[in-house]
Amino acid sequence: MPATAMVAVVQVYRRDARGDWWPEGKDVFQLLWCPNVHWGPPAPHADVSPVAEIRWRSSAEVTRILGSPPLPVRQEDPDYGYSPVRCTLTPVPLVDFPYPQTLPDEELIESVQEYVEATGDGDDVITRVAGLKFGGWPTWHLNEPDDVACLTCEVMGVV
């Protein structure tokens, strides 16, 4: 099968999403993916998901801007949902907390849970607001985090 162009899903500028996770010298984040269903994608992608690539760029190095992105050469099922609709996002800073299990003491856990209950419906609404979340802590609303030991140093971390 012929190769196909990756589809631009989102582009974020550092000025709109400040944080210490940005690589040095980079101020543009791009998420691209293949518009086709992949039944056996390479690791670390999940089965039946788009194969994605992350690109960190420097806007100073962009010398030519395309008027419109290239269309995929091959798109097996355009109705599957891997063809984003062009839109603009409005950056909104949010208060973000880690999963309570990862907080250092019970008093802080209770304080965060009280804040969540006071500002929402008692559920984890803080990490599940509408839109695209860029940076901050992961959301665990589908499953609980697991403690996993590093294979090299055996230090425990939450994933």
Side-chain angles (χ1 to χ4, degrees):
M1 289 194 184
T4 190
M6 300 291 272
V7 174
V9 178
V10 68
Q11 177 170 291
V12 178
Y13 289 90
R14 185 180 200 141
R15 67 178 179 261
D16 296 326
R18 301 193 184 279
D20 58 3
W21 58 84
W22 288 86
E24 178 117 9
K26 306 299 180 186
D27 63 347
V28 180
F29 166 87
Q30 294 174 323
L31 173 63
L32 311 170
W33 70 31
C34 178
N36 295 304
V37 176
H38 291 268
W39 296 98
H45 300 86
D47 282 341
V48 193
S49 70
V51 172
E53 286 190 28
I54 292 175
R55 303 279 171 91
W56 297 96
R57 300 183 187 268
S58 168
S59 59
E61 295 171 0
V62 176
T63 58
R64 189 173 67 106
I65 298 174
L66 299 175
S68 60
L71 295 173
V73 173
R74 172 178 58 86
Q75 187 168 15
E76 296 158 0
D77 187 356
D79 297 327
Y80 207 84
Y82 294 151
S83 295
V85 176
R86 190 177 182 123
C87 65
T88 303
L89 300 174
T90 302
V92 177
L94 298 172
V95 175
D96 192 20
F97 296 103
Y99 190 73
Q101 175 181 324
T102 64
L103 294 173
D105 63 60
E106 193 63 37
E107 185 176 325
L108 186 55
I109 291 170
E110 289 175 17
S111 176
V112 169
Q113 288 174 332
E114 288 172 11
Y115 179 77
V116 168
E117 289 171 10
T119 58
D121 62 2
D123 200 2
D124 181 20
V125 295
I126 294 172
T127 59
R128 292 191 292 149
V129 295
L132 172 75
K133 181 178 175 181
F134 190 77
W137 298 96
T139 179
W140 299 105
H141 72 278
L142 296 177
N143 63 318
E144 301 289 318
D146 290 324
D147 290 324
V148 178
C150 172
L151 296 176
T152 304
C153 65
E154 298 182 5
V155 171
M156 296 299 284
V158 177
V159 296

